C-alpha cells in the first residue's frame, strides 16, 4: 500500500502513527525522525489539522483522540444557533459607545457583533481575526487595527509570536472574547493553545473583558485554559446560567447579561 503513496503522504501517515502511540509530537522530533525541514514539518501538521487528525500546539501537535470534542470549523459554526448568537451580539452592542477602543477575538458571535458595529461611528476595532477585519474594511466610521500572526484556518485568528509582540503595545478598553468552554471549575477554555495564549495577552491589555458565548459552551471545558472566570468583567449569553454558577460569578464580581430572544 505504501508504494502507492507519495513521500509526503507516507511521512504524514507515519506522523499520525507516532501521535497515536505517544499522544504528542514536537517539530524538533519530526525534523530528527523524518529528516525533513522545519517548514515541511509545520506544513504537514497544518495539513493534518485541517483534516481534523490532530490539534496544533506551540511547537508541535497532540493527537485529536487524546483531546476533547473535535473543534468545529468556522464555516460549520455559522450554521449553528444563528438566532441565539445574533441576539448575544445585539446585547453586547449595548456596551459599546462612540469613541470606544474595543477588541474582537475570532468566533461566530464576535463576527456577528462586527456586522452590527457597521451601524456605528467613531469606534476603533482591534482584532486578530482576518474575517472580522475584512467585514469592517469598508466602514468609514470605524478604524480597524489588525494584529498580525499566523492564521488558523478553523477560526481565521492570527496567533503566535508576531501577534504577541503587537499586543504588548496595545491599550484596549473593552475586549469581547469568543470562547469554546465556560465553567467555574476549568474557567474559560479554547481548542487551540495558540489562541489561548493570544487571548491571555489580550486580557492583560484590556480594561474590561466580556466573554460572549451561547448555552452550549456552559459547563464545558475545551483542551486549553485561557483564564479563570473571576478574571472576567462580565459574560453575555443567551440562557440563564445554572444557579451555583451564577452565585459563584456574583461572589467574584462578574456580571451576567442575557440576550433578548
Amino acid at each position: 500500500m505504501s508504494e502507492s503513496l507519495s513521500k509526503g503522504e507516507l511521512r504524514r501517515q507515519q506522523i499520525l502513527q507516532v501521535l497515536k502511540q505517544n499522544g504528542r509530537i514536537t517539530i524538533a522530533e519530526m525534523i530528527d525522525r523524518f529528516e525533513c525541514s522545519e517548514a515541511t514539518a509545520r506544513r504537514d501538521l497544518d495539513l493534518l489539522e485541517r483534516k481534523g487528525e490532530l490539534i496544533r500546539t506551540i511547537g508541535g501537535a497532540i493527537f485529536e483522540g487524546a483531546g476533547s470534542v473535535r473543534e468545529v470549523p468556522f464555516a460549520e459554526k455559522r450554521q449553528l444557533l444563528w438566532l441565539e448568537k445574533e441576539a448575544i451580539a445585539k446585547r453586547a452592542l449595548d456596551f459599546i459607545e462612540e469613541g470606544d477602543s474595543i477588541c474582537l477575538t475570532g468566533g461566530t458571535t464576535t463576527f456577528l457583533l462586527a456586522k452590527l458595529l457597521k451601524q456605528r461611528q467613531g469606534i476603533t476595532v482591534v482584532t486578530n481575526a482576518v474575517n472580522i477585519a475584512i467585514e469592517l474594511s469598508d466602514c468609514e466610521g470605524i478604524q480597524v487595527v489588525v494584529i498580525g500572526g499566523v492564521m488558523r484556518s478553523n477560526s481565521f485568528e492570527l496567533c503566535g509570536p508576531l501577534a504577541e509582540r503587537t499586543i504588548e503595545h496595545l491599550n484596549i478598553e473593552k475586549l469581547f472574547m469568543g470562547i469554546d468552554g465556560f465553567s467555574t471549575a476549568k474557567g474559560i477554555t479554547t481548542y487551540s493553545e495558540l489562541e489561548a495564549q493570544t487571548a491571555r495577552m489580550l486580557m492583560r491589555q484590556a480594561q474590561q473583558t466580556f466573554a460572549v458565548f451561547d448555552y452550549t459552551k456552559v459547563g464545558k471545558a475545551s483542551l486549553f485554559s485561557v483564564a479563570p472566570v473571576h478574571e472576567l468583567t462580565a459574560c453575555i449569553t443567551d440562557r440563564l446560567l445554572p444557579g451555583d454558577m451564577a452565585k459563584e460569578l456574583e461572589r467574584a464580581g462578574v456580571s451576567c447579561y442575557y440576550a433578548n430572544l
Side-chain angles (χ1 to χ4, degrees), residues 1 19 26 31 38 62 66 92 95 112 118 191 201 222 251:
M1 178 181 172
L19 278 166
T26 66
I31 294 169
E38 181 178 343
I62 61 176
F95 298 93
L112 289 170
K118 296 170 82 169
Y191 288 105
M201 290 194 69
S222 301
R251 283 195 295 269

Side-chain angles (χ1 to χ4, degrees), residues 175-192:
L175 167 63
F176 294 86
M177 185 166 59
I179 61 175
D180 295 314
F182 185 88
S183 79
T184 48
K186 300 294 184 180
I188 310 155
T189 54
T190 185
Y191 288 105
S192 163

Side-chain angles (χ1 to χ4, degrees), residues 214-244:
D214 63 74
Y215 71 91
T216 63
K217 312 297 186 349
V218 177
K220 304 289 177 60
S222 301
L223 197 57
F224 299 102
S225 294
V226 176
V229 292
H230 66 76
E231 292 188 12
L232 291 171
T233 302
C235 58
I236 305 172
T237 187
D238 57 324
R239 290 189 187 179
L240 290 175
L241 295 174
D244 291 347

